Amino acid sequence: MKGVRFLRKTKYILEFKNIVKTFPGIVANDHINLKIKRGDIHALLGENGAGKTTLMNILTGLYAPNSGEIYINDKKVKINSPKDSINLGIGMVHQHYKLVDTLKVSENIIIGSHKQKWMINNRVIFDEIISLSEKYGLAIRPNELVGNLSVGEKQRVEIIKMLYRNVEILVLDEPTSVLTLQECQNLFKTLREMKRQGKTIIFISHKLNEVMDVADTITVLRQGKIVNTLAKVDTNPIELTRMMFERETETITKNTLKDLQKAETVLVVEGLKALGDEGEISLNDVSFSIKKGEILGVAGVSGNGQKELAEVLTGLRPLVKGKIIIQGKEIREYKPIEFINNGISHIPADRIGVGTIPDFNCIENVILKTYRKQPIKKGLILDFKEANKIGEQLLNKYDVRISSYYIPVRLLSGGNLQKLILAREISCNHQLIIAVHPTYGLDVSAVNMIHKFFLEEQKKGVAILLISEDLDEILALSDEITVMYKGKLTPKQLRQKCSIENIGRAMMGI
Ligand SMILES: Nc1ncnc2c1ncn2[C@@H]1O[C@H](COP(=O)(O)OP(=O)(O)O)[C@@H](O)[C@H]1O
Ligand SMILES: [Mg+2]
């Protein structure tokens, strides 16, 4: 099989013909026909569950399709294992990395590669890794243990690992979901460089803006089927949004206009103005209100003032102008404790920096907001036994999975960390939850659990300000929706009256 890829240069490097893949009770890939052009950055766009990862797992030999064929350079191929796919020049960077924490970066890159021979000179390998790293702008530290790397750096190691295997087709599954904005920009630069070197990239994403940024060709998948394949220059975010989401309107039992009109108002903000970290105006005359038991979704592309809004509403950022009124009482002191005492809970975007104290253990973190009160505080002393008992109960209830609750939270996975934050935030008295990208980068089961939690809180009459980039999440949970763009909010509208098209348009500022 080796060598097939070098035979001749065809226009389409890869083709899927009639691929069908089912799981019990679901057709994950429903007769997929797709051609990928050589040297293209080809995006697979679709909401969660559309079937993107499944199709790529078939391409990389992790799943066998029920039926259908794959062609590379117009030649039918059989891919029965990841090894077959590597031999055909196909490599994939998975959403959950497959590196070995206890090995060095360089060791991770070479393991399993056909070049790995004990007699190969370490220096040669090292030089090759460095040269790939420089050529593609992928900063790494070859001698560091993988266990010590940030997620962004792990991703760069995964990419170099594939380049080291000389792949021609590189698949990246939701590569930006764990990256900072700066890291995303760097990744896109790397992808463009790979394209320049003639490589073909398949880029999986459910984010419109980044697909519009980096892709040449876009294929939209929905519920296991291909909706369309288009050149980027021939489409626009509104059309893509429509293709991604169009479906039978679901009937979710949500609050009606009447329910909301009857409810008491929990929070009113009027004419908020605040500055960003660089002194720029980040909130520009923001006004809105939320009622008891209401979930207000704030959609929008990150960086339009969402972070600052959440910070202002939790006392973490000063106001330049405006009023914040919680349950009829105007807040005068802009300090976190003032907001906590007035019943505001915060689920921040930054789980490890703002959300938790990394070196404190799970129990200490989960009782952070309650230890000053009964029953943990008895007179002047803290009852540690009681603290441990309460902490353990909370962590159990919220299904935080870790070998011991007495290890530092920096060792927790993203999903477990977020569950710990939820457990803590509900343990204090609150009327309003400010949640920022609450499910960003989490796996499906953690996402479901967090959504269930929000709906339960809502039933108890808690109001939720849900700030999220994930349109699906906004649509699934919100009673009313507003869009943030360049520091301003659009007037809120009932979820039932919002069309994807309108939200998409407001998100893009058009
Ligand atoms: N190993 C599996 N077992 C059962 N169902 C699966 C498995 N992998 C994916 N699915 C289901 O197939 C559908 C498509 O999933 P997936 O390809 O992961 O979507 P996407 O990557 O577009 O979010 C989903 O409904 C998912 O739950
Ligand atoms: Mg996926």
Side-chain angles (χ1 to χ4, degrees):
M1 212 175 285
K2 215 181 260 184
V4 168
R5 54 179 156 149
F6 301 116
L7 282 182
R8 65 195 171 91
K9 299 233 162 173
T10 49
K11 179 172 179 195
Y12 293 101
I13 192 166
L14 168 67
E15 182 175 359
F16 297 90
K17 279 194 186 164
N18 267 318
I19 297 282
V20 175
K21 174 69 187 173
T22 59
F23 293 110
I26 186 146
V27 187
N29 286 161
D30 192 353
H31 295 89
I32 298 286
N33 287 293
L34 174 64
K35 289 179 177 182
I36 308 284
K37 241 185 255 164
R38 178 186 307 282
D40 229 18
I41 301 183
H42 194 125
L44 297 184
L45 177 69
E47 55 178 336
N48 278 327
K52 309 175 296 285
T53 300
T54 301
L55 186 65
M56 290 303 113
N57 283 342
I58 291 171
L59 177 67
T60 52
L62 287 171
Y63 292 160
N66 302 46
S67 58
E69 291 156 359
I70 293 175
Y71 291 75
I72 303 252
N73 291 326
D74 288 347
K75 195 170 180 303
K76 188 166 150 183
V77 293
K78 280 238 167 308
I79 304 176
N80 295 321
S81 68
K83 199 158 173 249
D84 287 348
S85 101
I86 285 278
N87 286 339
L88 287 163
I90 303 161
M92 176 157 170
V93 176
H94 293 268
Q95 228 172 337
H96 301 285
Y97 303 144
K98 298 191 182 306
L99 299 170
V100 185
D101 276 353
T102 49
L103 291 181
K104 283 187 197 169
V105 165
S106 55
E107 291 163 339
N108 265 282
I109 290 171
I110 62 167
I111 38 170
S113 140
H114 61 278
K115 294 186 223 166
Q116 181 203 4
K117 299 235 171 67
W118 59 269
M119 69 270 273
I120 283 187
N121 182 334
N122 262 331
R123 190 71 238 167
V124 175
I125 294 172
F126 201 83
D127 288 348
E128 198 172 344
I129 292 174
I130 291 293
S131 117
L132 284 171
S133 149
E134 283 170 359
K135 181 166 168 191
Y136 292 102
L138 293 157
I140 56 158
R141 295 169 289 164
N143 284 324
E144 189 59 77
L145 284 182
V146 162
N148 296 337
L149 305 185
S150 69
V151 273
E153 206 169 359
K154 281 186 188 168
Q155 182 180 75
R156 298 196 286 274
V157 174
E158 287 268 18
I159 295 174
I160 292 187
K161 183 169 172 163
M162 291 304 143
L163 291 169
Y164 187 78
R165 281 153 183 71
N166 209 11
V167 300
E168 289 195 20
I169 303 174
L170 181 67
V171 181
L172 296 136
D173 194 354
E174 309 265 6
T176 61
S177 63
V178 293
L179 300 184
T180 63
L181 205 61
Q182 185 55 48
E183 284 174 325
C184 284
Q185 290 310 320
N186 288 340
L187 173 68
F188 292 171
K189 260 192 229 152
T190 297
L191 297 187
R192 292 190 185 104
E193 180 56 28
M194 286 184 197
K195 175 188 159 78
R196 231 174 50 82
Q197 303 283 342
K199 307 223 180 264
T200 305
I201 314 280
I202 300 178
F203 175 83
I204 300 184
S205 176
H206 62 270
K207 295 186 192 150
L208 269 177
N209 55 330
E210 59 190 39
V211 164
M212 284 307 284
D213 184 349
V214 78
D216 302 306
T217 309
I218 302 166
T219 292
V220 180
L221 282 119
R222 188 179 69 224
Q223 295 174 336
K225 294 194 177 81
I226 287 189
V227 183
N228 207 347
T229 295
L230 297 149
K232 178 179 66 188
V233 291
D234 293 336
T235 186
N236 58 61
I238 294 171
E239 182 180 51
L240 291 172
T241 320
R242 201 184 297 134
M243 288 197 281
M244 277 171 76
F245 294 101
E246 216 164 41
R247 66 187 135 201
E248 303 300 305
T249 41
E250 323 150 53
T251 41
I252 24 174
T253 45
K254 298 291 301 180
N255 290 327
T256 63
L257 184 58
K258 249 185 169 164
D259 296 334
L260 282 179
Q261 276 171 344
K262 274 189 285 182
E264 264 170 61
T265 301
V266 177
L267 171 79
V268 181
V269 307
E270 284 173 16
L272 296 190
K273 187 173 168 189
L275 302 180
D277 294 337
E278 313 291 330
E280 76 286 6
I281 294 177
S282 59
L283 295 180
N284 192 355
D285 197 14
V286 167
S287 302
F288 65 92
S289 62
I290 310 185
K291 300 203 163 186
K292 264 187 104 145
E294 173 181 353
I295 301 183
L296 174 61
V298 179
V301 178
S302 268
N304 276 289
Q306 294 96 323
K307 173 172 160 269
E308 289 82 2
L309 177 63
E311 287 174 355
V312 161
L313 293 177
T314 49
L316 292 166
R317 182 176 294 267
L319 265 186
V320 175
K321 224 166 119 185
K323 266 190 198 169
I324 301 176
I325 301 158
I326 304 174
Q327 308 218 18
K329 182 179 157 204
E330 185 177 345
I331 300 283
R332 302 227 178 251
E333 259 192 282
Y334 296 110
K335 284 188 191 152
I337 190 74
E338 188 66 12
F339 286 79
I340 294 169
N341 289 342
N342 278 291
I344 294 197
S345 282
H346 185 202
I347 300 170
D350 178 5
R351 288 167 204 144
I352 201 82
V354 181
T356 52
I357 302 176
D359 288 329
F360 278 27
N361 69 35
C362 302
I363 299 281
E364 289 160 336
N365 268 289
V366 83
I367 62 162
L368 264 184
K369 286 196 172 167
T370 40
Y371 74 90
R372 292 188 203 88
K373 296 182 191 140
Q374 287 265 19
I376 295 178
K377 186 156 182 189
K378 298 214 164 99
L380 287 175
I381 54 160
L382 297 183
D383 182 343
F384 287 106
K385 236 169 129 186
E386 188 65 24
N388 290 347
K389 197 178 103 199
I390 292 175
E392 282 179 17
Q393 278 170 357
L394 278 169
L395 293 166
N396 263 326
K397 181 166 173 219
Y398 279 85
D399 194 29
V400 175
R401 289 189 200 162
I402 181 91
S403 55
S404 156
Y405 291 151
Y406 296 88
I407 63 168
V409 295
R410 63 183 150 76
L411 300 173
L412 261 63
S413 69
N416 280 310
L417 197 57
Q418 191 66 315
K419 290 187 222 166
L420 182 150
I421 294 172
L422 293 183
R424 182 187 66 215
E425 294 301 316
I426 51 111
S427 66
C428 46
N429 245 331
H430 60 277
Q431 325 295 329
L432 172 66
I433 300 174
I434 315 266
V436 190
H437 308 311
T439 57
Y440 179 82
L442 302 185
D443 63 50
V444 181
S445 71
V447 171
N448 289 340
M449 141 123 210
I450 286 157
H451 287 177
K452 215 174 99 213
F453 161 81
F454 285 149
L455 295 172
E456 277 167 12
E457 288 299 294
Q458 173 183 40
K459 269 202 203 117
K460 294 186 212 152
V462 172
I464 300 170
L465 182 71
L466 172 66
I467 299 176
S468 176
E469 267 197 299
D470 184 342
L471 259 187
D472 235 13
E473 176 165 83
I474 294 266
L475 285 165
L477 299 175
S478 308
D479 300 302
E480 298 196 88
I481 296 174
T482 162
V483 178
M484 191 149 214
Y485 182 71
K486 291 200 173 162
K488 287 184 181 284
L489 283 182
T490 59
K492 59 180 188 174
Q493 281 209 313
L494 277 183
R495 149 80 170 83
Q496 291 89 328
K497 295 195 175 158
C498 287
S499 70
I500 289 285
E501 190 169 338
N502 289 343
I503 300 178
R505 194 173 289 180
M507 279 169 62
M508 304 295 151
I510 41 181

